[in-house]
Amino acid sequence: EDDVGGGAGGTSLATILRCPDQRLLVAISAGSAISQAAFMAVVPLHLVQWGAGPASLGAVFGVVGVVSMLSMPLGAMLADRAADKRWLAVGGMLCSQLSFGALALAGSYEAFLATLVVSNVAAGLAAPAVGALMAEITPRQIRGQALSVHRTAADMLGLVSPVALGVLADTYSCPLAIVTSAGAMAVMVALTGAGSLGSSAVRASLKGSAPGRPPS
């Protein structure tokens, strides 16, 4: 919280983005927009190769919704019990993104659907930790500003990603577009997650070695 604590003069965008935890949250928001774009623009095109029609596509969207609905309550319980929610948020999102990339290797409709379920289970388990982490590390007086930054990043990627991924799928292939989107998401979360986790470890170490505190 010290990195983004607002003073009398307010808090600037640059100040928020200097905080490693806020950069992680921005990356997750932006990555979620890329994931949504790939799911809406590329996944249906990829399923057509197996003869998927409106009923099959509707089943995929329905299964994803049910999986998210069932996995999020478990994710909420895990987030409430996690000593450091960063691990759950970063680990779950990376697992989701890598699983999403593996969709490009699926050799059948059934394998594709199973892999998509794994990806969405991981995302559902991580999502509550992301929200809880934001509430935990963002000072109350700047939560509105921080949330605005997160949403702006998501909206910007949400504007560009569908067009870019659609062009990539048309020009090359749907599997390449899927791998590209998953790779972009994973790199963003991995880099910012490493910074956030490293900063958290340093702060914990400094607290543990503070004068008057017995060694652990």
Side-chain angles (χ1 to χ4, degrees):
E1 294 185 359
D2 294 339
D3 293 335
V4 291
T11 304
S12 67
L13 171 63
T15 303
I16 291 175
L17 292 180
R18 277 199 295 268
C19 173
D21 293 328
Q22 295 297 333
R23 288 197 296 269
L24 169 62
L25 293 172
V26 168
I28 291 175
S29 294
S32 297
I34 297 175
S35 175
Q36 185 70 11
F39 183 68
M40 299 297 292
V42 181
V43 166
L45 295 176
H46 191 53
L47 287 171
V48 169
Q49 68 175 309
W50 294 304
S56 298
L57 293 176
V60 169
F61 284 94
V63 167
V64 167
V66 170
V67 166
S68 297
M69 181 178 65
L70 295 178
S71 59
M72 280 197 181
L74 177 57
M77 289 188 292
L78 293 174
D80 286 342
R81 288 164 173 74
D84 190 340
K85 296 171 179 59
R86 295 169 184 84
W87 287 103
L88 181 57
V90 173
M93 286 301 175
L94 283 177
C95 181
S96 175
Q97 292 148 8
L98 293 175
S99 299
F100 191 83
L103 292 173
L105 303 176
S108 66
Y109 175 84
E110 292 76 15
F112 190 95
L113 185 58
T115 307
L116 190 60
V117 166
V118 172
S119 177
N120 280 273
V121 166
L125 293 176
V130 175
L133 178 61
M134 180 188 174
E136 185 177 277
I137 59 95
T138 307
R140 180 182 56 80
Q141 66 270 23
I142 66 161
R143 283 178 188 162
Q145 298 175 65
L147 182 59
S148 176
V149 172
H150 305 165
R151 290 306 313 160
T152 299
D155 290 342
M156 289 174 62
L157 269 295
L159 177 65
V160 174
S161 297
V163 177
L165 293 174
V167 170
L168 192 60
D170 283 342
T171 305
Y172 296 98
S173 67
C174 288
L176 180 60
I178 289 172
V179 169
T180 300
S181 63
M185 293 183 288
V187 167
M188 287 193 302
V189 172
L191 292 178
T192 57
S196 176
L197 290 167
S199 176
S200 174
V202 169
R203 288 195 299 268
S205 176
L206 291 175
K207 288 180 180 179
S209 61
R213 185 184 292 267
S216 55

